[in-house]
PDB file of all heavy atoms in Angstrom:
ATOM      1  N   PHE A 214      -7.295  -1.990   9.239  1.00  0.00           N
ATOM      2  CA  PHE A 214      -6.330  -2.016   8.135  1.00  0.00           C
ATOM      3  C   PHE A 214      -5.879  -0.615   7.730  1.00  0.00           C
ATOM      4  O   PHE A 214      -5.134  -0.466   6.759  1.00  0.00           O
ATOM      5  CB  PHE A 214      -6.933  -2.722   6.924  1.00  0.00           C
ATOM      6  CG  PHE A 214      -7.074  -4.218   7.107  1.00  0.00           C
ATOM      7  CD1 PHE A 214      -7.995  -4.926   6.350  1.00  0.00           C
ATOM      8  CD2 PHE A 214      -6.304  -4.901   8.026  1.00  0.00           C
ATOM      9  CE1 PHE A 214      -8.132  -6.301   6.500  1.00  0.00           C
ATOM     10  CE2 PHE A 214      -6.441  -6.267   8.195  1.00  0.00           C
ATOM     11  CZ  PHE A 214      -7.350  -6.976   7.433  1.00  0.00           C
ATOM     12  N   TRP A 280     -11.705  15.229  10.599  1.00  0.00           N
ATOM     13  CA  TRP A 280     -12.792  14.397  10.071  1.00  0.00           C
ATOM     14  C   TRP A 280     -13.838  14.131  11.146  1.00  0.00           C
ATOM     15  O   TRP A 280     -15.037  14.103  10.876  1.00  0.00           O
ATOM     16  CB  TRP A 280     -12.236  13.080   9.538  1.00  0.00           C
ATOM     17  CG  TRP A 280     -11.539  13.221   8.225  1.00  0.00           C
ATOM     18  CD1 TRP A 280     -10.198  13.193   7.990  1.00  0.00           C
ATOM     19  CD2 TRP A 280     -12.158  13.419   6.944  1.00  0.00           C
ATOM     20  NE1 TRP A 280      -9.939  13.368   6.658  1.00  0.00           N
ATOM     21  CE2 TRP A 280     -11.119  13.504   5.984  1.00  0.00           C
ATOM     22  CE3 TRP A 280     -13.477  13.537   6.525  1.00  0.00           C
ATOM     23  CZ2 TRP A 280     -11.367  13.691   4.624  1.00  0.00           C
ATOM     24  CZ3 TRP A 280     -13.730  13.724   5.166  1.00  0.00           C
ATOM     25  CH2 TRP A 280     -12.694  13.814   4.241  1.00  0.00           C
ATOM     26  N   LEU A 290     -26.086  19.229  12.245  1.00  0.00           N
ATOM     27  CA  LEU A 290     -26.836  19.903  11.188  1.00  0.00           C
ATOM     28  C   LEU A 290     -28.107  19.133  10.842  1.00  0.00           C
ATOM     29  O   LEU A 290     -29.195  19.722  10.705  1.00  0.00           O
ATOM     30  CB  LEU A 290     -25.947  20.054   9.952  1.00  0.00           C
ATOM     31  CG  LEU A 290     -26.627  20.655   8.709  1.00  0.00           C
ATOM     32  CD1 LEU A 290     -27.086  22.080   8.988  1.00  0.00           C
ATOM     33  CD2 LEU A 290     -25.674  20.614   7.510  1.00  0.00           C
ATOM     34  N   PHE A 380     -34.126  -0.172   0.587  1.00  0.00           N
ATOM     35  CA  PHE A 380     -33.109   0.699   1.168  1.00  0.00           C
ATOM     36  C   PHE A 380     -32.094  -0.117   1.970  1.00  0.00           C
ATOM     37  O   PHE A 380     -30.877   0.045   1.811  1.00  0.00           O
ATOM     38  CB  PHE A 380     -33.761   1.755   2.050  1.00  0.00           C
ATOM     39  CG  PHE A 380     -32.824   2.823   2.528  1.00  0.00           C
ATOM     40  CD1 PHE A 380     -32.451   3.855   1.695  1.00  0.00           C
ATOM     41  CD2 PHE A 380     -32.307   2.786   3.820  1.00  0.00           C
ATOM     42  CE1 PHE A 380     -31.578   4.848   2.131  1.00  0.00           C
ATOM     43  CE2 PHE A 380     -31.442   3.768   4.256  1.00  0.00           C
ATOM     44  CZ  PHE A 380     -31.072   4.800   3.416  1.00  0.00           C
ATOM     45  N   GLU A 476      16.926  -6.126  -6.780  1.00  0.00           N
ATOM     46  CA  GLU A 476      16.931  -6.155  -8.244  1.00  0.00           C
ATOM     47  C   GLU A 476      16.815  -7.574  -8.791  1.00  0.00           C
ATOM     48  O   GLU A 476      17.075  -7.816  -9.968  1.00  0.00           O
ATOM     49  CB  GLU A 476      18.216  -5.495  -8.780  1.00  0.00           C
ATOM     50  CG  GLU A 476      19.494  -6.260  -8.503  1.00  0.00           C
ATOM     51  CD  GLU A 476      20.150  -5.900  -7.175  1.00  0.00           C
ATOM     52  OE1 GLU A 476      19.432  -5.460  -6.255  1.00  0.00           O
ATOM     53  OE2 GLU A 476      21.381  -6.060  -7.065  1.00  0.00           O
ATOM     54  N   MET A 506      15.921   2.955 -22.481  1.00  0.00           N
ATOM     55  CA  MET A 506      15.059   3.662 -21.542  1.00  0.00           C
ATOM     56  C   MET A 506      15.459   5.125 -21.479  1.00  0.00           C
ATOM     57  O   MET A 506      16.633   5.455 -21.277  1.00  0.00           O
ATOM     58  CB  MET A 506      15.175   3.032 -20.158  1.00  0.00           C
ATOM     59  CG  MET A 506      14.268   3.659 -19.119  1.00  0.00           C
ATOM     60  SD  MET A 506      14.490   2.901 -17.501  1.00  0.00           S
ATOM     61  CE  MET A 506      16.118   3.508 -17.100  1.00  0.00           C
ATOM     62  N   LEU A 555      15.567 -26.199  -3.372  1.00  0.00           N
ATOM     63  CA  LEU A 555      16.813 -26.659  -3.978  1.00  0.00           C
ATOM     64  C   LEU A 555      16.921 -26.211  -5.427  1.00  0.00           C
ATOM     65  O   LEU A 555      18.016 -25.876  -5.909  1.00  0.00           O
ATOM     66  CB  LEU A 555      16.910 -28.184  -3.889  1.00  0.00           C
ATOM     67  CG  LEU A 555      16.944 -28.779  -2.476  1.00  0.00           C
ATOM     68  CD1 LEU A 555      16.979 -30.307  -2.532  1.00  0.00           C
ATOM     69  CD2 LEU A 555      18.165 -28.254  -1.714  1.00  0.00           C
ATOM     70  N   VAL A 556      15.807 -26.184  -6.135  1.00  0.00           N
ATOM     71  CA  VAL A 556      15.817 -25.724  -7.530  1.00  0.00           C
ATOM     72  C   VAL A 556      16.145 -24.232  -7.582  1.00  0.00           C
ATOM     73  O   VAL A 556      16.918 -23.783  -8.440  1.00  0.00           O
ATOM     74  CB  VAL A 556      14.461 -26.008  -8.205  1.00  0.00           C
ATOM     75  CG1 VAL A 556      14.456 -25.497  -9.644  1.00  0.00           C
ATOM     76  CG2 VAL A 556      14.151 -27.500  -8.183  1.00  0.00           C
TER      77      VAL A 556
END
Side-chain angles (χ1 to χ4, degrees):
F214 288 157
W280 285 106
L290 176 63
F380 189 78
E476 68 271 26
M506 183 182 70
L555 298 177
V556 179

